[in-house]
Amino acid sequence: MDALRKQASKLREQVAKQQQAVIKQFSGTGYESSDVIVIDEIEMQRHQQLDKLYKSTRSGRDFQKDVVKAAEGFTAIGYKHIETGTKFSEECCQYGTENSENINENILAKAAAVYGDGLKHVEKEQEDLIKLLSQQVLDPLRAMATGAPLEDARHLAQRYSRMRQEAEAQAVEISRRQARIREAPLPENVAKLHAAEARMQELKANMAVLGKEAAAALAAVDAQQQRLTLQRLVAMVEGEKTYHLRVAAILNEIEAEMVSEKQRKESAPPVIAPENGSEKTMYYLAEAMHPFYAASEKELSLAVGDFVVVRKVSPSGWSEGECKGKAGWFPSAYVEKRQRLPSNNLAG
């Protein structure tokens, strides 16, 4: 009967060892959560602290990788933007150059040249943003996500987890030995119980030291993760903000110059083709009701009260005429038609 008991006991021990080996194999790459009190409440609090820190640093590392992935995506898009923008800038400048002979008259050529030159500055801002993302976001976060401090701290926690699993199994072993002694208080069983208890004390002492070391290392890494990731995220937002503000300022200047050219072209006196022999021109007298200051040689300055002989009227709102020996264009709305000169002007 004793032989059967010994055989059964050895079999249970072998099964228990195999179970522990399986547990170690599958939990060796992480921190094993457990609600079982292995030693006492103090150790349980340490275990819960390590479990929380381990999960926090893992979550922080995963978020750092998310930020890196996003910055890499923005960088790839930025390089594509530079490639497309540079090509279009060259095409705009080429069109403006090829049509530069009459660029003051060809508003499209002028606008293309202005836009092409502006795009060069936009692409420079894009290059600066890519450089910022690389130096202030990608490099620091990559270094920390794969750095030794994080891996070392997590390795300490994993060692503590494995040691705790061993202590949990050892506590079960002690209970089993105690039950064996109650059944058969043999010296051999008592010796085995003492050996198990000694091993438990050794594990308890080692866990106290290792737990404190692992908690301190993980807490330091966790705090550094939070601080560094926040700093890099702020740098990323500030970089994008600066980029968009500068690009908006460049585009505002481009738009203002293009609109100004468009308005200048639309408000300029019309270009009249040379008259042919069959065309008739109507002449009439007009008085200037508002002052007008010529902006080019084609225009005619007028003072209030000046009389002008109107020779041409354009549908664009401009008239051509002669006043005081000078001829040119002026806004039609600035004069009113008169039948004859006033008597005081005749007397003068």
Side-chain angles (χ1 to χ4, degrees), residues 111-122 247-261:
V114 169
Y115 190 35
D117 185 62
L119 280 178
K120 296 177 184 178
H121 298 287
V122 171
V247 169
I250 294 170
L251 294 177
N252 283 337
E253 291 182 7
I254 294 173
E255 180 188 30
E257 190 168 353
M258 292 171 71
V259 170
S260 175
E261 285 297 319

Side-chain angles (χ1 to χ4, degrees), residues 72-88 123 126 130:
E72 288 174 341
F74 291 148
T75 299
I77 294 172
Y79 281 124
K80 185 64 178 177
H81 188 286
I82 291 174
E83 179 184 353
T84 303
T86 301
K87 184 175 183 299
F88 188 46
E123 303 321 318
Q126 184 72 63
I130 290 175

Side-chain angles (χ1 to χ4, degrees), residues 115-185:
Y115 190 35
D117 185 62
L119 280 178
K120 296 177 184 178
H121 298 287
V122 171
E123 303 321 318
K124 177 62 170 60
E125 295 298 333
Q126 184 72 63
E127 290 178 358
D128 291 344
L129 176 60
I130 290 175
K131 184 177 180 181
L132 179 144
L133 290 176
S134 177
Q135 296 179 347
Q136 298 191 26
V137 179
L138 289 172
D139 293 345
L141 291 183
R142 281 174 180 159
M144 186 169 191
T146 59
L150 173 62
E151 292 305 316
D152 291 346
R154 289 169 65 82
H155 180 65
L156 289 174
Q158 290 167 4
R159 282 178 54 197
Y160 184 89
S161 179
R162 291 193 294 270
M163 191 176 293
R164 191 175 194 276
Q165 292 168 25
E166 184 180 352
E168 186 176 346
Q170 196 67 26
V172 174
E173 176 68 10
I174 291 173
S175 297
R176 190 175 65 81
R177 292 293 178 187
Q178 289 172 342
R180 179 71 59 80
I181 290 176
R182 286 193 294 269
E183 294 176 2

Side-chain angles (χ1 to χ4, degrees), residues 57-65 145 150-151 154 225:
T57 54
R58 179 176 59 194
S59 176
R61 180 191 60 188
D62 291 343
F63 183 62
Q64 286 179 336
K65 291 181 178 179
L150 173 62
E151 292 305 316
R154 289 169 65 82
Q225 268 186 341

Side-chain angles (χ1 to χ4, degrees), residues 85-246:
T86 301
K87 184 175 183 299
F88 188 46
S89 172
E90 293 172 352
E91 292 168 345
C92 287
C93 291
Q94 181 180 357
Y95 181 84
T97 301
E98 291 175 350
N99 295 271
S100 60
E101 184 176 350
N102 297 315
I103 199 166
N104 290 328
E105 300 296 335
N106 190 337
I107 186 173
L108 178 58
K110 183 66 178 293
V114 169
Y115 190 35
D117 185 62
L119 280 178
K120 296 177 184 178
H121 298 287
V122 171
E123 303 321 318
K124 177 62 170 60
E125 295 298 333
Q126 184 72 63
E127 290 178 358
D128 291 344
L129 176 60
I130 290 175
K131 184 177 180 181
L132 179 144
L133 290 176
S134 177
Q135 296 179 347
Q136 298 191 26
V137 179
L138 289 172
D139 293 345
L141 291 183
R142 281 174 180 159
M144 186 169 191
T146 59
L150 173 62
E151 292 305 316
D152 291 346
R154 289 169 65 82
H155 180 65
L156 289 174
Q158 290 167 4
R159 282 178 54 197
Y160 184 89
S161 179
R162 291 193 294 270
M163 191 176 293
R164 191 175 194 276
Q165 292 168 25
E166 184 180 352
E168 186 176 346
Q170 196 67 26
V172 174
E173 176 68 10
I174 291 173
S175 297
R176 190 175 65 81
R177 292 293 178 187
Q178 289 172 342
R180 179 71 59 80
I181 290 176
R182 286 193 294 269
E183 294 176 2
L186 300 174
E188 179 184 356
N189 292 338
V190 174
K192 290 181 178 180
L193 174 61
H194 289 166
E197 290 175 340
R199 177 57 183 160
M200 189 64 173
Q201 289 300 318
E202 181 184 354
L203 287 172
K204 183 177 179 180
N206 292 338
M207 287 172 63
V209 175
L210 182 59
K212 185 177 181 180
E213 183 181 357
L218 278 177
V221 170
D222 186 54
Q224 187 182 12
Q225 268 186 341
Q226 298 288 325
R227 183 175 63 256
L228 178 66
T229 306
L230 178 60
Q231 289 174 349
R232 298 310 98 200
L233 204 60
V234 170
M236 191 172 177
V237 172
E238 290 178 344
E240 284 197 77
K241 176 185 175 182
T242 300
Y243 164 75
H244 289 296
L245 287 175
R246 289 179 178 175

